[in-house]
Amino acid sequence: MDIKRTVLWVVFSFSLLLLWDSWQRHNGKPSMFFPTATQEAQPAAAGADPSKSPVPQAANAANPTATAADVGGAPAAKGETITITTDVVKADIDTVGGELKRLELLKHRDTVDPTKNLVLFDSSAGHTYLAESGLIGGQFPNHKSIFTAKPGARALDGGNEVQLVLEAQENGVKLTKTYTFKRDSYLIDLKHTVTNDSAAAITPSLYLQLLRDGNKPGGESHFYSTFTGPAVYTDADHFQKLTFEKIEEGKEQHATKSDNGWIALVQHYFVSAFIPPEKAQRDIFTKKVATNLYAVGNILPLGSIAPGASVTMDAHLYSGPQESKVLETTAPGLELVKDYGWLTIIAKPIFWLMIHIHAMVGNWGWTIILLTVLIKLVFFPLSAASYRSMAKMKAVTPKMTAIRERHKGDPQNMNREMMALYKTEKINPLGGCLPIVIQIPVFISLYWVLLASVEMRGAPWLGWIHDLTAPDPFYILPVLMAVSMFIQTKLNPTPPDPVQAKVMMFMPIVFSVMFFFFPSGLVLYWVVNNVLSITQQWVITKKLEAGKAK
C-alpha cells in the first residue's frame, strides 16, 4: 500500500472538511468543531434596566453556590454619571449603586468601527457589561442604592492617580467605595469601607460581581471561534472556563468556596477580573440574572462590626487587554485567560520567542518572518533528509509507473515490487510526509498565538497589511501561498495515479481559498516557510542530479 498517497488523501479530505465547516459558520450555522457561547446575538432582557439587576444572597447549606433574589424596586432617584479619564481608560461610574457602567479603552480600536475606541463595559440598549458591588446580610447599601460623590479631580491632570470616593448610607450603615485609577494601568483599586453608625452590631458580606449579556463581541469572525464567558480561578481547582449555556441550564460546575483566586469575564483579546485580597474567605457564584443576562461573582463575609466601628476590604478590578506580561504580574493564574488551546505547551514557548525577537526588530511582521527562519533551521536536518527522499522518489517515478502498469489487477504483487524498489533505491516512502506532519503542531500553535495575542491586534507589517491578526484585505498573501504550493508540487514526484495527480494540482487552490479567511500573520508564516522549503528542496535536488551525472 502506498502510505504516502493515503496520508495526502487524508490531508486533502480534512482540508475540504475544514473549508466546509468555515462556510457553515460564515452563513451563521453551528460549527462541527467549535462550539460557541451563543450562536446568534440576542438582546438582553427586553426593557431590562441593568441597575435593577438582582442582589446576590449569602450562601447557606441549602444553597452553597449562592443564588439571586430580586429585591425589585427602582432606585429612589436618578443618579449622576461621573467620568474619570486617565491616559488609557475613560470610565463612567453611576452614582446609582456606584457601578462601573462604561469603560472605554483609549489605546485600543473598536473591531467593527476602527475610527472609534473599544468600549468594554457598557450599558447600552444592545449590550450590557457592568461591574457591581455592595453589601448583603441586611438592609445595607448595594448596587441599587444612591451614592453621593465626594468632590475631587476627575482626570490625571499630570498626576499618577485619580480617586473617586462615593458614599451611601442606609439604616445607620455607611458604605464608602473608593475607586483609584492609575497612570498607564488597567488595574483599578476598589476599596470598600463599612461603618456601623447604628446601635447594634451587624454582620454584612461584601459582594463583587460582573454582569454581562451572553453575546459575542462585535466584529467576531465567522471562520474561527473564540471563547466568551465567565472564568473562575482558585489555587485548588485552577482555571475553570464556564459557558453561558451551562449557566442557562443550571449545569455549571466550578469552585464555590476559597480564600484565594479571582473571577472574570473573558472575551477575545480582553478580560475583566475582580481580584479580592488573598486569604479572604469567599463564596463563588454564577447565575442567570435575566434573559440573556448572566453574572459571576464573589461574596466575602466581613465579620461582626460593632456599633461605631468600621471595616475595610481592598480589592482590585483588572479590565483591559490580555497582555501576558501584565496578567502574570496582576494575579496568580490570570495569564491563563489568554487561551492557546490544547497546544499551550508549544504555543507559550513560541510566543516567548516572538516577544524577544520583537524586542529587537520592533515589527510583528518581521518577527513572524524571523521566527519562521528559526523554525526552519531547527527542522533543517529532518527537512533535508525528507527532500533527498522526495528527490529520489521523483527520479524513480518512471519505474513506479511501469510497476503499476505491469500489475494493474494484482495489488499484492504491485506492493511487493514497490517495496523492493524502495529498498533497492534506499527510499523511505514516508520521508516526504514527516516535515509536514511535524510542522502541523507548530502551525496550529502559531495560529492560536496569533489568535490570542492582543499584542499583535492591529499590528501592521508593511504596505497593505495593517493588522496581522486580520485576513489579508487584498488576498495577496493567500495567492502567493497558492503559487508557492504549486511550485512545490512541481518539485515533488508526480503521483503515478492520474486521479492523485489531479488532486495534488488542486490542493494549492483549496488551501489558498481556505487561507483567505485566516489571520494574515499566519499566511505570512506559511508563505515564508514555503519559499524556504522550495529553496532547500531545489538545492538538494540539483545536488543529487549533479551527483548522478558524474
Side-chain angles (χ1 to χ4, degrees), residues 132-459:
E132 301 175 331
S133 64
L135 300 178
I136 55 175
Q139 294 298 313
F140 305 141
N142 55 42
H143 71 271
K144 299 181 179 184
S145 304
I146 301 298
F147 283 74
T148 302
K150 295 283 188 180
R154 300 296 184 243
L156 286 177
D157 293 331
N160 289 320
E161 66 176 42
V162 57
Q163 284 190 338
L164 173 63
V165 181
L166 301 166
E167 288 184 349
Q169 187 155 339
E170 195 169 336
N171 293 326
V173 176
K174 182 170 72 173
L175 174 61
T176 304
K177 290 187 186 184
T178 305
Y179 285 91
T180 303
F181 297 81
K182 299 177 182 177
R183 180 176 296 278
D184 194 31
S185 178
Y186 296 97
L187 188 66
I188 304 166
D189 295 337
L190 181 55
K191 179 170 71 175
H192 293 83
T193 300
V194 183
T195 304
N196 184 8
D197 292 329
S198 69
I202 58 172
T203 54
S205 291
L206 172 70
Y207 65 87
L208 308 168
Q209 72 176 10
L210 295 167
L211 188 74
R212 193 189 190 283
D213 58 57
N215 300 334
K216 283 280 190 180
E220 282 286 274
S221 172
H222 292 286
F223 288 92
Y224 50 78
S225 177
T226 58
F227 175 74
T228 301
V232 171
Y233 178 87
T234 65
D235 289 345
D237 295 282
H238 304 296
F239 182 60
Q240 298 171 300
K241 290 196 303 186
L242 312 168
T243 65
F244 292 124
E245 285 95 344
K246 292 292 185 183
I247 297 173
E248 179 78 28
E249 298 165 3
K251 296 179 180 178
E252 73 278 9
Q253 293 184 342
H254 57 80
T256 57
K257 289 184 180 293
S258 183
D259 65 352
N260 59 75
W262 42 264
I263 55 95
L265 280 172
V266 182
Q267 67 183 59
H268 195 198
Y269 293 131
F270 301 96
V271 62
S272 297
F274 263 127
I275 309 163
E278 287 289 307
K279 304 303 179 184
Q281 290 294 330
R282 70 205 66 174
D283 293 321
I284 305 166
F285 67 87
T286 54
K287 64 188 179 186
K288 177 182 177 182
V289 174
T291 302
N292 193 36
L293 199 60
Y294 310 91
V296 58
N298 286 144
I299 296 176
L300 302 106
L302 299 177
S304 179
I305 305 175
S310 65
V311 169
T312 295
M313 180 164 287
D314 294 307
H316 302 290
L317 171 62
Y318 179 87
S319 191
Q322 296 176 14
E323 295 179 2
S324 297
K325 198 182 288 187
V326 175
L327 297 179
E328 288 170 3
T329 58
T330 298
L334 191 57
E335 74 279 2
L336 296 174
V337 300
K338 189 173 181 178
D339 192 1
Y340 293 126
W342 56 279
L343 283 171
T344 299
I345 194 170
I346 301 174
K348 273 197 169 183
I350 287 177
F351 182 71
W352 177 87
L353 183 58
M354 291 180 74
I355 287 289
H356 285 76
I357 296 172
H358 182 263
M360 293 185 289
V361 300
N363 180 286
W364 285 108
W366 296 116
T367 297
I368 291 170
I369 291 173
L370 289 175
L371 174 74
T372 311
V373 173
L374 288 176
I375 291 173
K376 199 67 182 174
L377 288 173
V378 170
F379 289 123
F380 184 86
L382 181 64
S383 299
S386 167
Y387 295 142
R388 279 193 291 270
S389 176
M390 292 174 72
K392 290 177 182 179
M393 288 277 286
K394 188 173 183 179
V396 300
T397 296
K399 294 180 181 180
M400 293 169 60
T401 304
I403 291 172
R404 286 180 178 274
E405 288 295 324
R406 195 161 55 245
H407 299 286
K408 274 186 178 179
D410 190 356
Q412 286 187 345
N413 279 330
M414 181 181 69
N415 287 332
R416 192 179 298 115
E417 283 203 36
M418 284 287 191
M419 295 308 294
L421 178 64
Y422 294 151
K423 189 174 182 181
T424 303
E425 299 290 339
K426 296 180 181 178
I427 295 171
N428 179 2
L430 285 176
C433 295
L434 278 175
I436 297 173
V437 172
I438 290 176
Q439 284 189 66
I440 285 175
V442 177
F443 173 75
I444 295 173
S445 299
L446 183 60
Y447 169 77
W448 283 109
V449 167
L450 289 168
L451 200 61
S453 298
V454 70
E455 290 87 345
M456 281 173 254
R457 183 179 187 264

Side-chain angles (χ1 to χ4, degrees), residues 84-103:
I84 303 293
T85 306
T86 74
D87 56 330
V88 294
V89 300
K90 184 178 180 182
D92 287 349
I93 298 167
D94 200 332
T95 56
V96 175
E99 68 181 8
L100 182 53
K101 68 176 186 179
R102 188 177 186 275
L103 189 70

